[in-house]
Amino acid sequence: MLNSSEQTHLDEYGYLLLENLISTETVVKLRERSMELAESEQASGHGFTYMEDDRAQRVWNLIDKGVVFEEAIQHPKMLAAMEYLLGGDCTLSSFTVNILYPGAPDGGLHIDYPLSALPTPRPNFPMVANSVWFLDDFTLENGATSCVPSSHHRLEALPESGMEYDDEKQICGPAGSVLIVNGAVWHGSSENRSDKTRVALLGFFCRSVLKPQQDHLKIVSDEVIDRASPTLKRLLGYNSLPNLNT
C-alpha cells in the first residue's frame, strides 16, 4: 500500500511522514487512554520517567492496556511501510506511550538497538524501524522528532553526543500523522520549549529473526491473545517462535 514515491523517499531519506493517517476520533481516544495510563502509573509510584528532572515518561506494553492500541498497531498503511522495510513477517518489538512534559530537554541523536551494538560496517538494509504516532501536533517548539535525512547510509558512523549537524531537521506535522523512521537513521526527540505536554506513541518493529525489545507472548494477557487477529498474533511473535524439536 506504499506508492513508488513513498518507497523511494524511505529508501533515500530513511523516513516517511504519513500525514493525517488517523482519524480525529481515534487520536482523541488514544491520547486520553495514554494520559490515563501515565497518570495512573505515576500515582502508583511505578511511572517510568527519564531525562533531566523526569521530564519524559514511557508507558510500556500497550497491547495489554486497551483495545484501542490493539486496533491501532494493525493499521494497514503503517504496517505496509514496516513490511516494506522489514519484510512481510516482521514483528512488533515494543509499543509504548512517549510523553514529553514542558521543559523536557533535547534527547540527542541516536540509532536504534540492536544496530547501535553491531560492529561496523552495519548492514545496508533495514533491520528495525519505528512508527511515531502524533497524538498532538508536532511543532518546532514542543519537541518534534529530529532526524538527519539519509544518515542510514553512513554505515560506519554514529552521531556524536552534543554535536549539531547542518542537515538535521525536525519533522513537524498535525496530530493524527505517523512518522516512519528506519532505525539506522540518526534521530531523537527535541526539546519541549512549549508550556504543554507533547504525547506520542512509539510502535517499534523488527525483522522476525531478531529478538524483540519485549516478549509479548509472556507479558500480554491470555484474553488479548484469544481475541487477536492473525495479523496481531504474527506481530506478537507467534510465527517466529523457536521450534521445540527434540
Side-chain angles (χ1 to χ4, degrees), residues 17 27 132-136 138 171-179 199-200:
L17 181 62
V27 169
V132 185
W133 302 60
F134 299 8
L135 302 189
D136 291 306
F138 269 39
I171 312 300
C172 300
S177 303
V178 176
L179 174 64
V199 185

Side-chain angles (χ1 to χ4, degrees), residues 55-181:
R55 302 313 299 163
Q57 184 178 358
R58 287 281 184 97
V59 177
W60 294 85
N61 190 23
L62 292 185
I63 297 297
D64 210 40
K65 295 178 179 176
V67 173
V68 66
F69 298 121
E70 298 172 40
E71 295 173 347
I73 205 62
Q74 299 178 74
H75 192 288
K77 182 79 172 186
M78 182 278 302
L79 277 185
M82 290 300 170
E83 291 167 358
Y84 174 74
L85 289 172
L86 305 173
D89 60 348
C90 65
T91 59
L92 182 65
S93 189
S94 63
F95 194 23
T96 60
V97 178
N98 180 247
I99 300 171
L100 295 185
Y101 295 106
D106 188 297
L109 296 173
H110 65 279
I111 64 173
D112 288 325
Y113 184 86
L115 298 175
S116 56
L118 293 180
T120 57
R122 291 179 293 275
N124 63 359
F125 55 86
M127 295 184 68
V128 294
N130 234 317
S131 57
V132 185
W133 302 60
F134 299 8
L135 302 189
D136 291 306
D137 294 342
F138 269 39
T139 69
L140 296 177
E141 291 75 31
N142 72 358
T145 301
S146 289
C147 74
V148 177
S150 303
S151 51
H152 60 305
H153 299 305
R154 307 177 190 179
L155 303 181
E156 300 203 25
L158 286 172
E160 296 182 34
S161 178
M163 178 72 72
E164 294 185 5
Y165 295 90
D166 292 340
D167 49 350
E168 181 178 346
K169 65 181 294 184
Q170 285 181 261
I171 312 300
C172 300
S177 303
V178 176
L179 174 64
I180 308 297
V181 184

